[in-house]
Amino acid sequence: MDRPDLGTMTARLLREIVRLETPILAASGLEMWDYVVLAALLGGDAATQRELAAATGRDQTRLIRNLDGLEERGLITRSPDPADRRNKVVALTGSGRDLVGACRARIRVMETELLLSLPADERAALERALVRLVGNP
Amino acid sequence: MDRPDLGTMTARLLREIVRLETPILAASGLEMWDYVVLAALLGGDAATQRELAAATGRDQTRLIRNLDGLEERGLITRSPDPADRRNKVVALTGSGRDLVGACRARIRVMETELLLSLPADERAALERALVRLVGNP
DNA sequence: TATTGTTATACTCTATAACTATA
DNA sequence: TATAGTTATAGAGTATAACAATA
């Protein structure tokens, strides 16, 4: 048979990744969106809340509740931008950086295991292709 | 910088695919879940509603409304399984098969264009890797 | 009693539009 | 007036449990 749609396979892969990441994040008291936000901050993808919403694909109004929770837990700070006080600059705290770093390390281990069934060259090509397609948007 | 998480890139790719597929499906009056269901039937992945729910990753109780709509439009039929009358066998009608086939063809064109920026060997490796990982679950 | 499909219910999530503060 | 962030609220989507029919 012909291969399934790219969308079908991508959705299946994402479901599997989410399934494997969920317990890792839960062990640190994080939901998926929490991690997505923290990882974006770790990657330096965004400074203001608006940029963070764009970088993560999350609606700006829904992002706020996330940030509220992360701020209460002392994982991030929100401070007015001196240059334009309408903006709030979101930054990782030390403990926020530690927490997301630890999760990310465990997730990398999970990813390695997930891709273990692939031949080495195929795995490398998959990663290169993804980076080329959606690595740095 | 290091590459983003596999989950981050997979989610971005899926968002892009959904964005590109949505207008294609809308032109045939289909929502994403409608197409997912019809494509699963086309692929012969499932016969009963329970199997269809498992194959598509959609909750069984939510699948029902989808099937109601597709049945009303004459795209599928639901008939009791003679061997076990608790089961309902879901099948594509002729027009259902035509419609999903046409959508699928347009989506394949879209996929080809999406992957056009990749070197040929990388594109082939990406497809092989996906099929190996989640192609026939 | 167990299972498939269905419906009903409450709960959560999402989208829209207002509101505040700043520019 | 326009924009970043926030809040409120109405609507859509989701999960849970109960139900009917069949095994």
Side-chain angles (χ1 to χ4, degrees), chain B residues 1 3 5 23 29 31-32 38 42 66 76 81 84 92 98 101-102 106-107 110 129:
Chain B
M1 189 195 83
R3 72 158 172 78
D5 289 340
E31 311 246 322
M32 187 58 64
L38 294 176
L42 188 68
N66 265 130
I76 63 166
D81 180 359
D84 183 344
L92 286 171
D98 290 347
R106 292 190 200 102
I107 284 172
M110 175 279 287

Side-chain angles (χ1 to χ4, degrees), chain A residues 20-68:
Chain A
L20 293 168
E21 286 188 5
T22 299
I24 295 175
L25 298 176
S28 296
L30 296 177
E31 311 245 323
M32 186 59 64
W33 273 116
D34 295 325
Y35 178 70
V36 169
V37 167
L38 294 176
L41 291 172
L42 189 68
D45 299 340
T48 69
Q49 293 187 195
R50 178 164 288 272
E51 288 170 356
L52 200 51
T56 58
R58 187 155 177 77
D59 190 280
Q60 197 194 347
T61 65
R62 274 169 278 153
L63 178 66
I64 292 171
R65 284 301 194 81
N66 266 130
L67 298 181
D68 288 347

Side-chain angles (χ1 to χ4, degrees), chain B residues 14-33:
Chain B
L14 185 59
R15 260 206 302 277
E16 177 71 358
I17 291 172
V18 168
R19 193 180 66 80
L20 293 167
E21 286 188 5
T22 299
I24 295 174
L25 298 176
S28 296
L30 295 178
E31 311 246 322
M32 187 58 64
W33 273 117

Side-chain angles (χ1 to χ4, degrees), chain B residues 58-105:
Chain B
R58 187 154 177 77
D59 190 279
Q60 198 194 347
T61 65
R62 275 169 279 152
L63 177 66
I64 292 171
R65 284 300 194 79
N66 265 130
L67 298 182
D68 288 347
L70 295 172
E71 194 176 26
E72 274 178 25
R73 294 176 58 186
L75 302 174
I76 63 166
T77 57
R78 281 190 278 194
S79 46
D81 180 359
D84 183 344
R85 294 174 50 78
R86 289 176 304 185
N87 293 334
K88 287 193 181 173
V89 176
V90 184
L92 286 171
T93 64
S95 68
R97 186 173 298 274
D98 290 347
L99 189 70
V100 66
C103 286
R104 189 177 154 117

Side-chain angles (χ1 to χ4, degrees), chain A residues 47-124:
Chain A
T48 69
Q49 293 187 195
R50 178 164 288 272
E51 288 170 356
L52 200 51
T56 58
R58 187 155 177 77
D59 190 280
Q60 197 194 347
T61 65
R62 274 169 278 153
L63 178 66
I64 292 171
R65 284 301 194 81
N66 266 130
L67 298 181
D68 288 347
L70 295 173
E71 193 175 26
E72 275 177 25
R73 292 177 59 186
L75 301 175
I76 63 165
T77 57
R78 282 191 277 194
S79 46
D81 179 0
D84 183 343
R85 294 176 49 79
R86 290 175 304 184
N87 294 334
K88 288 192 180 174
V89 176
V90 183
L92 286 171
T93 63
S95 68
R97 186 173 298 272
D98 290 348
L99 189 69
V100 65
C103 286
R104 190 177 153 119
R106 291 189 200 103
I107 284 172
R108 287 305 166 105
V109 172
M110 175 279 287
E111 289 179 0
T112 302
E113 291 167 357
L114 176 64
L115 301 182
L116 217 59
S117 65
L118 297 178
D121 62 325
E122 217 166 83
R123 182 172 66 245

